[in-house]
Amino acid sequence: MHIISVPISVQVSKKKKFLLNLNQYRNAHHFTLNNAKVEFHNIVAPRLQHLPTFGQIRMLFTLFAGSNHRRDTSNICCIVDKFFSDVLVSTGKIIDDNSDIVLETCYRYESVDKNDPRVEVMIVPE
């Protein structure tokens, strides 16, 4: 089992932050989406260097929100999942992110952490 902490927002320009959630993803310009994905990769890839290469995995995404506002956990975790899975593939930790490799994906809400809003990804090798 491995736990990796990842951000729930990334800086896409000097003035603009991209919140990793389905609403932002759905409405964003493709250029902004690409910048968000590249920045997420730049932040997360170094955190994966110590991981082995996996055959099959299960993943649990745990949300630590930045405030007490009500939220839809899957709105955030589904985009973090998409970006994170792509980083796993691009860094060679898994060969693909299809259902033959990623056997299970779960999302859950944990608590508020105003100082460090994040998603913690638990990777469980099979």
Side-chain angles (χ1 to χ4, degrees), residues 64-101:
F64 293 83
S67 70
N68 286 320
H69 293 281
R70 294 173 73 186
R71 69 196 81 259
D72 181 345
T73 300
S74 63
N75 261 2
I76 297 169
C77 289
C78 73
I79 301 305
V80 171
D81 176 8
K82 177 176 181 19
F83 283 19
F84 185 78
S85 295
D86 289 347
V87 176
L88 284 175
V89 172
S90 68
T91 57
K93 301 304 177 182
I94 57 176
I95 59 170
D96 201 346
D97 57 354
N98 64 37
S99 58
D100 291 335
I101 306 301

Side-chain angles (χ1 to χ4, degrees), residues 8-20 24-25 28-43 83:
I8 58 174
S9 66
V10 293
Q11 205 70 36
V12 291
S13 70
K14 287 184 179 181
K15 296 181 181 179
K16 191 173 180 182
K17 202 173 236 192
F18 183 84
L19 302 174
L20 297 173
Q24 291 267 316
Y25 185 86
H29 187 273
H30 65 89
F31 186 74
T32 301
L33 285 177
N34 186 62
N35 286 346
K37 204 167 184 181
V38 167
E39 184 60 23
F40 186 86
H41 182 279
N42 291 339
I43 293 167
F83 283 19

